[in-house]
Amino acid sequence: MANNTLFPQGFVWGAATAAYQIEGAWNLDGKGESIWDAFSHTPGKVANGDTADVSCDHYHRFAEDIALMRQMGLKAYRFSISWPRVLPTGRGPVNWVGLDFYDRLVDTLLVAGIEPYITLYHWDLPQVFQDIGGWENREVASYFADYASVLVNRLGDRVRFWITLNEPWVVAFLGYRTGEHAPGITDEKRALQVAHNLLVAHGLAAQALRTHMPGAQVGIALNLWPTESVSNASEDIAAAELAWQKDCGWFLSPLLKASYPSDVWEKYGELVPDVAPGDLALISQRLDFLGINYYSRTVMSAQGTVSPVAGSQYTEMGWEVQAPALRRLLVRLKKDYQAIPLYITENGCAFKDEMSQDGQVHDQKRIDFLQQHLSQARLAIGDGVDLRGFFVWSLMDNFEWAHGFNKRFGLVYVDYPTQKRIVKDSGKWYAQVIKQNGVMSNCKPAISGV
Ligand code: GCO
């Protein structure tokens, strides 16, 4: 294998999941209701009426799932914690049974030689908070820091990596602008306030984590996608740049430059959020790493989004497959923002996976997808980007939010009626990548059938 396909020594190979998407046990052992429980139980909100009440039943099957991770040779596992499982009323008394679940999960990972990366918030806000305004209510940001303290006090002796929020863009804009996600509100002004309050919550939680665990590695995971101009015409380029600042710069700039992008701020006019004195200093405190969730790009002209892009392949989500844009994104981050270690905290794809006659899942398209993205990630490292790790979204098929169980992203196939897991060809391929610390064009499965 040529050296330039090898990754740096110690590169972190992982996979990611989120609590609501896999755990099930939505009302067991004292867990409180989350906004996603409430949302998925509301008719018409999720495709096919699906809910994640049971989902992959990971709450009961986590040991089996960790055994699969070990078989694939994962070095790290990124998962999220369900806030209402630990604090059923959001604050106040701890549900020890719920916290114990995460304690056992962490211990079982460590025994398997897998490093836990914890995400504190992957969208399942305690419903009791929604009743007092949810993320629009700034007090919730303080409660989030208290929740972070509970977790770091219990798990900080074993967990080094902490991700405060997953994709605040999605929380704010799909939750409050399009209403496609919980809590299903459609109001742009409120969405922008939520986006700001989330960043405040990030800042407060980062402080809390460091207070209780001085060595904590604290980061945030943003969904970032390059917005690229359809042509070299200056009006197309300007439209693409504005869109980038509006979606990605809106989070990157406060975090890494202590300010909101001024052009976008002006365009928003009276929609802009209330920002209290000191907020931007709080938000822009040191980050130990930035997590990037990369799935696709957008192509723009002065008239708007260009889609489909002629000649491009699309996933089941309707997202363009565009690995070279990942490299361009990483290089741009290095150029435009302060130097900071980066992780790809999510990358992956949904395709129509089926179990074949032979009982296996031959997902060659996913292998091709991951191979292309890893190759581009490796090229970015060659460009001087400080990329430390890569987490496939997702470890296993799961509840894909408003799409329900219709979209399969996993390295592991889940047969929901029986809860049987089958490592897909892509999972076997990934095991080989990990073993060799790099992508080879002829990677053979490192493990055979499960
Ligand atoms: C995301 C989400 C995941 C999704 C994945 C595919 O962070 O967007 O973390 O929950 O399932 O992105 O849409």
Side-chain angles (χ1 to χ4, degrees):
M1 177 164 60
N3 275 340
N4 63 3
T5 61
L6 283 177
F7 279 67
Q9 234 186 342
F11 191 79
V12 178
W13 297 102
T17 63
Y20 185 68
Q21 295 180 274
I22 64 166
E23 285 179 1
W26 79 281
N27 61 355
L28 292 189
D29 294 343
K31 179 181 164 294
E33 192 186 22
S34 79
I35 58 172
W36 267 94
D37 293 316
F39 193 72
S40 68
H41 293 155
T42 308
K45 298 296 189 192
V46 176
N48 200 32
D50 289 344
T51 75
D53 291 359
V54 177
S55 191
C56 306
D57 195 28
H58 175 75
Y59 185 73
H60 296 112
R61 295 169 193 266
F62 73 93
E64 180 191 341
D65 292 333
I66 291 172
L68 291 175
M69 295 180 211
R70 184 178 201 160
Q71 221 176 322
M72 286 189 267
L74 295 191
K75 306 279 186 234
Y77 173 51
R78 173 180 175 233
F79 61 96
S80 81
I81 291 192
S82 159
W83 187 347
R85 193 181 293 291
V86 174
L87 295 167
T89 51
R91 54 187 153 140
V94 172
N95 175 30
W96 297 108
V97 188
L99 189 50
D100 285 350
F101 166 70
Y102 296 106
D103 200 275
R104 287 199 306 277
L105 181 67
V106 164
D107 281 345
T108 311
L109 285 167
L110 293 174
V111 167
I114 299 167
E115 173 121 44
Y117 281 61
I118 286 184
T119 305
L120 294 177
Y121 186 72
H122 202 128
W123 312 349
D124 42 358
L125 189 74
Q127 176 63 32
V128 286
F129 285 151
Q130 201 58 47
D131 303 335
I132 58 163
W135 288 112
E136 277 176 88
N137 180 344
R138 242 182 109 103
E139 279 174 30
V140 170
S142 306
Y143 298 137
F144 182 62
D146 297 342
Y147 157 66
S149 301
V150 169
L151 292 176
V152 77
N153 280 332
R154 178 69 177 269
L155 303 173
D157 57 337
R158 285 155 290 159
V159 176
R160 290 193 293 157
F161 291 90
W162 298 84
I163 293 164
T164 54
L165 302 176
N166 180 67
E167 303 189 352
W169 182 94
V170 170
V171 178
F173 296 123
L174 298 191
Y176 281 81
R177 187 169 63 193
T178 68
E180 186 194 326
H181 278 193
I185 291 162
T186 51
D187 183 324
E188 189 162 33
K189 182 158 177 64
R190 292 167 69 186
L192 286 162
Q193 192 63 54
V194 164
H196 180 72
N197 291 356
L198 283 164
L199 289 174
V200 170
H202 157 78
L204 293 173
Q207 283 181 337
L209 290 167
R210 290 190 172 118
T211 300
H212 296 284
M213 183 186 171
Q217 294 292 299
V218 179
I220 185 169
L222 301 180
N223 52 318
L224 299 178
W225 64 100
T227 305
E228 305 194 313
S229 177
V230 74
S231 81
N232 285 328
S234 57
E235 56 277 21
D236 293 337
I237 292 172
E241 181 58 21
L242 185 68
W244 159 264
Q245 293 299 347
K246 199 171 166 197
D247 287 316
C248 299
W250 197 253
F251 295 90
L252 287 166
S253 293
L255 286 163
L256 299 172
K257 293 183 170 177
S259 67
Y260 280 103
S262 52
D263 287 4
V264 185
W265 185 272
E266 245 165 67
K267 283 237 149 46
Y268 272 135
E270 59 186 30
L271 297 179
V272 296
D274 294 333
V275 175
D279 279 1
L280 284 157
L282 175 70
I283 292 166
S284 63
Q285 72 190 274
R286 177 174 57 85
L287 272 180
D288 295 301
F289 64 94
L290 176 66
I292 298 157
N293 296 352
Y294 177 77
Y295 289 94
S296 190
R297 66 162 176 179
T298 300
V299 176
M300 289 289 293
S301 79
Q303 282 71 47
T305 306
V306 178
S307 179
V309 177
S312 283
Q313 185 197 4
Y314 283 79
T315 70
E316 274 293 299
M317 297 295 286
W319 298 339
E320 185 194 2
V321 178
Q322 238 294 337
L326 170 60
R327 179 186 185 183
R328 293 194 287 271
L329 170 67
L330 293 170
V331 169
R332 176 165 194 181
L333 292 175
K334 171 178 147 66
K335 186 166 80 51
D336 286 6
Y337 299 93
Q338 53 174 288
I340 177 176
L342 303 178
Y343 288 80
I344 308 285
T345 35
E346 289 180 25
N347 175 246
C349 51
F351 287 114
K352 269 219 167 11
D353 300 321
E354 273 161 17
M355 209 196 310
S356 301
Q357 293 284 324
D358 61 3
Q360 303 294 309
V361 180
H362 303 299
D363 58 338
Q364 186 60 42
K365 284 186 187 163
R366 181 167 294 100
I367 294 178
D368 294 344
F369 181 100
L370 291 172
Q371 162 118 21
Q372 289 167 25
H373 286 77
L374 282 172
S375 301
Q376 293 294 326
R378 180 62 189 84
L379 288 169
I381 292 172
D383 297 331
V385 170
D386 184 8
L387 182 67
R388 305 276 176 97
F390 185 97
F391 292 77
V392 174
W393 184 270
S394 178
L395 173 68
M396 56 186 163
D397 295 340
N398 58 50
F399 177 85
E400 178 57 22
W401 308 110
H403 299 277
F405 294 105
N406 205 0
K407 307 282 185 247
R408 293 181 177 270
F409 273 90
L411 294 169
V412 175
Y413 183 90
V414 178
D415 180 49
Y416 296 107
T418 62
Q419 291 295 345
K420 188 170 149 55
R421 276 77 161 135
I422 299 163
V423 178
K424 299 178 191 175
D425 284 0
S426 61
K428 298 173 189 172
W429 171 88
Y430 194 47
Q432 184 74 359
V433 169
I434 295 171
K435 198 163 153 212
Q436 294 170 335
N437 198 36
V439 196
M440 287 179 22
S441 48
N442 62 343
C443 271
K444 296 263 178 351
I447 51 174
S448 49
V450 179

